[in-house]
Structure formats: C-alpha cells, structure tokens
C-alpha cells in the first residue's frame, strides 16, 4: 500500500493546472506572429526562389545553408536536365573557397556535405585541383571542433578516391609534420 502524498505535493498539480495554455502546449514554438506562436517548422523561410550564387555569398547563414543543401541535392541526383546539374558542378567548383571559409558548425556541415557530393558525383575533376584540399582541411582553423572532425575524414576519403591514395597519405603526413613543427593545433588528428 502506498502512503498518501504530503500536503505540499498536492498543491503542485493545482499550480500546473493554472498555467496558461500556451506554456503547456506540446507544439514547438518558432517565431511569433500577430495571431500568436507559430510552429518552428512554419517559421523557417524558403529561399529557393533566390539564385544559388546569391545565397552562397550571403552573410545570412540560413540562406547559405539552403544553397549548400540545394547544390548537394542537385549534384547527387541525376536529372532530366543535365545542363542544370552541370551548372551546379560548375558553381560548386567556383565556390570551393567559400565552402572552406564556413566557420559556423551548421554552415560547415552543409558546405562540406555539398563538397562531398561534388567530389563523389562530378565527372571532370582534375586530381591536381583536389589534392590541395587535404592540406587546407587539415590546417583549417576549426579542425579541433567536433563538426569538422566528423566531416573532414569523409571529404579526404573522397579525395583519395579521385587522387591515388598514396598521394593523399603523403600530403597528410607532410601536412601533419609541418603542423607539428610549427606547434599548431592538431587535435583533430
């Protein structure tokens, strides 16, 4: 037999019952509209009507992430319009520096995922163009952050599929040796 709850505990449900309905709502809250709270899913904006080029160079993280995600999707899936897909590869090639310049984890995740799709699906990649990515990724100022540590090995593996693996290993070894000699952070590796 269970003992009756203390009197103080009995007052708690009455307090919760008096709470306003909005505070106890199970729906996630996003932006506020004039009509009241809007679910988080509805608060996200759709930037697909803006050109990819504009979004990739935007200062707004959400716009950039939407562009990286759209590029990734278009490069990964064959389409009825190969010219549109090819334009995505050309645009991605043009913005590899922009991709590597992302500093916020969310932006890095979207950008490096798009870079991975580019490396995996592009047909005209020159090995001499992508081998320098190994050093740039290993020396990246955010390499000690979890998001970069999670994504960089995948990108380097894709580079190794394009360039021959011994060249990638040699570049990694040279880069890590240079970092060690310079006493820079190498916690990611």
């Amino acid at each position: 037999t269970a003992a009756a709850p203390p009197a103080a505990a009995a007052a708690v449900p009455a307090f919760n019952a008096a709470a306003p309905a909005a505070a106890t709502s199970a729906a996630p809250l996003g932006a506020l509209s004039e009509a009241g709270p809007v679910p988080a899913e509805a608060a996200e904006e759709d930037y697909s009507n803006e050109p990819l080029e504009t979004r990739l160079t935007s200062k707004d993280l959400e716009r950039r992430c939407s562009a990286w995600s759209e590029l990734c999707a278009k490069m990964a899936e064959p389409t009825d319009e190969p010219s549109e897909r090819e334009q995505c590869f050309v645009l991605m090639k043009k913005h590899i520096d922009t991709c590597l310049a992302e500093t916020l984890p969310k932006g890095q995740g979207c950008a490096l995922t798009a870079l991975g799709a580019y490396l995996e699906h592009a047909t005209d990649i020159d090995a001499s163009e992508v081998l320098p990515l190994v050093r740039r990724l290993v020396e990246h100022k955010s390499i000690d952050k979890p998001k970069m540590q999670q994504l960089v090995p995948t990108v380097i593996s894709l580079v190794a599929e394009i360039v021959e693996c011994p060249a990638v290993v040699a570049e990694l070894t040279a880069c890590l040796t240079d970092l060690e000699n310079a006493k820079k952070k190498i916690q990611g590796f």
Side-chain angles (χ1 to χ4, degrees):
T1 62
V12 173
F15 173 74
N16 286 340
T24 59
S25 170
L29 298 180
L32 290 177
S33 71
E34 291 178 19
V38 176
E41 299 82 32
E44 292 186 25
E45 290 190 45
D46 178 21
Y47 301 108
S48 60
N49 61 339
E50 298 175 15
L52 280 170
E53 178 87 30
T54 303
R55 288 185 281 156
L56 287 172
T57 57
S58 173
K59 291 186 185 265
D60 180 21
L61 176 64
E62 294 301 321
R63 277 187 168 79
R64 290 193 315 273
C65 287
S66 78
W68 293 124
S69 297
E70 185 176 330
L71 264 178
C72 184
K74 287 182 176 182
M75 290 185 293
E77 291 186 25
T79 178
D80 293 336
E81 297 187 33
S83 63
E84 181 183 344
R85 187 174 187 219
E86 287 304 314
Q87 288 174 351
C88 289
F89 288 116
V90 169
L91 187 61
M92 183 66 204
K93 184 177 182 178
K94 179 180 172 184
H95 284 280
I96 287 178
D97 289 337
T98 307
C99 170
L100 297 177
E102 288 287 354
T103 55
L104 298 172
K106 181 177 180 178
Q108 289 170 340
C110 294
L112 290 178
T113 301
L115 179 57
Y118 170 75
L119 294 171
E120 187 173 354
H121 299 288
T123 56
D124 63 343
I125 296 178
D126 183 15
S128 64
E129 294 175 10
V130 294
L131 185 59
L133 290 175
V134 173
R135 181 172 288 271
R136 291 181 67 191
L137 288 166
V138 172
E139 291 178 343
H140 196 280
K141 64 184 176 183
S142 298
I143 195 60
D144 61 331
K145 304 295 186 242
K147 182 58 85 175
M148 288 293 283
Q149 290 175 0
Q150 177 186 10
L151 297 169
V152 165
T154 303
V155 174
I156 291 175
S157 295
L158 289 167
V159 170
E161 289 179 15
I162 296 166
V163 182
E164 295 187 14
C165 195
V168 173
V169 172
E171 184 68 16
L172 270 172
T173 305
C175 182
L176 292 173
T177 301
D178 293 347
L179 287 170
E180 182 64 28
N181 291 339
K183 299 197 184 318
K184 291 185 178 180
K185 10 178 193 180
I186 56 171
Q187 295 127 327
F189 290 91

